[in-house]
Amino acid sequence: MSITRINNFRAREHCAAELKSFLTGILPDIRASAGCLSCELLQDHADPTRIVIVEIWESIEAHRASLAQVSPESIRQAKQFLAATPSGGYYS
């Protein structure tokens, strides 16, 4: 059975476009990860600082294994655009 991972991001004021661009740039790497079935980025129309990434994985373990591919530099780069720590959860 597949699992859905929903990741919530909040951009700093005036940084929504930069955050969206950064996240869009990492989508191909997420999609290429073993066990990723799909991945989509969505931006709130009423509040563009709110962005979510909805991922469908073969398993929670596959998603967690993919996180080992995220570089510390990539995390540092994303932090400059974030108003708050991202949150997320697994859904079925």
Side-chain angles (χ1 to χ4, degrees):
M1 181 172 129
S2 65
I3 194 80
T4 299
R5 170 77 185 184
I6 300 176
N7 304 287
N8 301 286
F9 301 90
R10 165 109 27 211
R12 289 183 183 185
E13 184 134 1
H14 308 295
C15 289
E18 291 90 342
L19 180 59
K20 183 178 180 182
S21 178
F22 174 81
L23 294 173
T24 299
I26 65 171
L27 292 181
D29 293 334
I30 296 170
R31 291 178 179 131
S33 296
C36 182
L37 303 175
S38 71
C39 181
E40 184 175 2
L41 182 145
L42 304 169
Q43 187 172 29
D44 189 312
H45 283 265
D47 181 357
T49 67
R50 294 181 55 209
I51 298 171
V52 298
I53 295 180
V54 180
E55 306 169 46
I56 311 243
W57 291 87
E58 289 177 356
S59 66
I60 292 173
E61 294 75 23
H63 173 257
R64 289 184 177 154
S66 76
L67 297 176
Q69 306 304 316
V70 178
S71 72
E73 175 56 32
S74 182
I75 293 169
R76 278 192 297 278
Q77 189 176 4
K79 283 183 177 181
Q80 67 183 324
F81 306 123
L82 294 169
T85 302
S87 64
Y90 297 103
Y91 299 83
S92 54

